Amino acid sequence: EDKVVQSPLSLVVHEGDTVTLNCSYEVTNFRSLLWYKQEKKAPTFLFMLTSSGIEKKSGRLSSILDKKELFSILNITATQTGDSAIYLCAGFFSGGYNKLIFGAGTRLAVHP
Amino acid sequence: SQTIHQWPATLVQPVGSPLSLECTVEGTSNPNLYWYRQAAGRGLQLLFYSVGIGQISSEVPQNLSASRPQDRQFILSSKKLLLSDSGFYLCAWKGGRRSYNEQFFGPGTRLTVL
């Protein structure tokens, strides 16, 4: 059965800390892995990773995929209170009408 | 640019009542459309997806149904709501077959069944 597992489920840090969020997957016919940030409402797209070992960066956020070990990490450096959100990881596989399989998410709280 | 709308934003319904949530997409044609449900503190569960008008696939057995009467309209319905139907319902779209894999989400509807 295809699944995506995120850890930790919840994390509390102070402003300025660096955090690493983990996502492991077992997805048949894997194509890519996506990260989303969800604040109060709809998830917003962060990254899509298709190739192993190539880091994607956007400001203080970065992410990398390891297709051999079947995991991805999302790093946030110098965290700010505005980074507080649920971070969702999803695996995309071909042959299934473009379905995403989501993990349960990591709830990050950044305290001042 | 593409936008996705959902309404209503919040809904409180009694058990046994019907439900209709609507999702529309602007600025694109032939999108793939999806309905997800998110229970409190949980990830997103895919409920239905559609690759075209009148084409609906269901992911999990439940008392909900979906319809796609127009290319950019996706409706989630129920004849009789259950307490367990409470949750945050998200509609998402993705470009057609040759587009990138990312899905874009609407603002969501928070449904409480009492």
Side-chain angles (χ1 to χ4, degrees):
Chain A
E1 182 184 344
D2 297 322
K3 62 180 180 181
V4 175
V5 178
Q6 291 186 246
S7 64
L9 293 180
S10 181
L11 188 57
V12 180
V13 300
H14 291 284
E15 272 192 317
D17 289 347
T18 293
V19 298
T20 298
L21 309 183
N22 303 294
C23 174
S24 64
Y25 63 90
E26 293 176 26
V27 175
T28 310
N29 298 320
F30 175 83
R31 291 284 300 277
S32 55
L33 189 130
L34 288 78
W35 284 97
Y36 288 84
K37 177 183 181 182
Q38 185 179 24
E39 295 176 85
K40 290 186 180 175
K41 288 198 171 180
T44 52
F45 173 75
L46 293 175
F47 298 112
M48 184 177 73
L49 304 157
T50 304
S51 301
S52 212
I54 299 175
E55 186 184 55
K56 292 221 171 173
K57 235 176 131 56
S58 176
R60 295 175 293 102
L61 276 67
S62 64
S63 185
I64 197 161
L65 175 68
D66 185 327
K67 290 169 80 172
K68 184 180 175 187
E69 300 296 331
L70 307 184
F71 78 90
S72 173
I73 59 172
L74 175 68
N75 278 321
I76 309 175
T77 59
T79 52
Q80 302 171 357
T81 54
D83 295 326
S84 298
I86 298 173
Y87 290 84
L88 295 165
C89 166
F92 174 84
F93 66 103
S94 61
Y97 290 105
N98 305 307
K99 292 190 291 187
L100 290 178
I101 299 179
F102 281 86
T106 293
R107 184 180 292 275
L108 173 66
V110 181
H111 290 175
Chain B
S1 64
Q2 299 87 7
T3 53
I4 178 168
H5 305 277
Q6 283 187 248
W7 64 90
T10 305
L11 194 58
V12 181
Q13 292 279 93
V15 168
S17 63
L19 173 74
S20 181
L21 303 181
E22 190 161 341
C23 169
T24 57
V25 181
E26 295 176 359
T28 186
S29 58
N30 302 315
N32 291 348
L33 296 172
Y34 307 85
W35 277 112
Y36 291 89
R37 177 170 58 204
Q38 186 176 34
R42 305 286 296 275
L44 275 64
Q45 179 189 33
L46 179 63
L47 302 175
F48 300 96
Y49 61 90
S50 171
V51 298
I53 295 174
Q55 300 179 61
I56 308 293
S57 294
S58 173
E59 282 296 290
V60 294
Q62 59 209 316
N63 70 321
L64 299 171
S65 62
S67 62
R68 186 168 175 176
Q70 299 180 45
D71 181 45
R72 288 168 286 179
Q73 184 185 31
F74 204 22
I75 296 171
L76 183 70
S77 305
S78 173
K79 291 182 180 176
K80 285 187 177 182
L81 283 169
L82 307 172
L83 286 174
S84 57
D85 292 324
S86 293
F88 190 47
Y89 288 82
L90 286 157
C91 179
W93 74 274
K94 177 194 160 320
R97 210 170 178 181
R98 295 179 181 178
S99 295
Y100 293 113
N101 300 334
E102 58 264 37
Q103 294 178 13
F104 300 95
F105 288 86
T109 295
R110 193 163 300 281
L111 172 66
T112 303
V113 182
L114 301 176

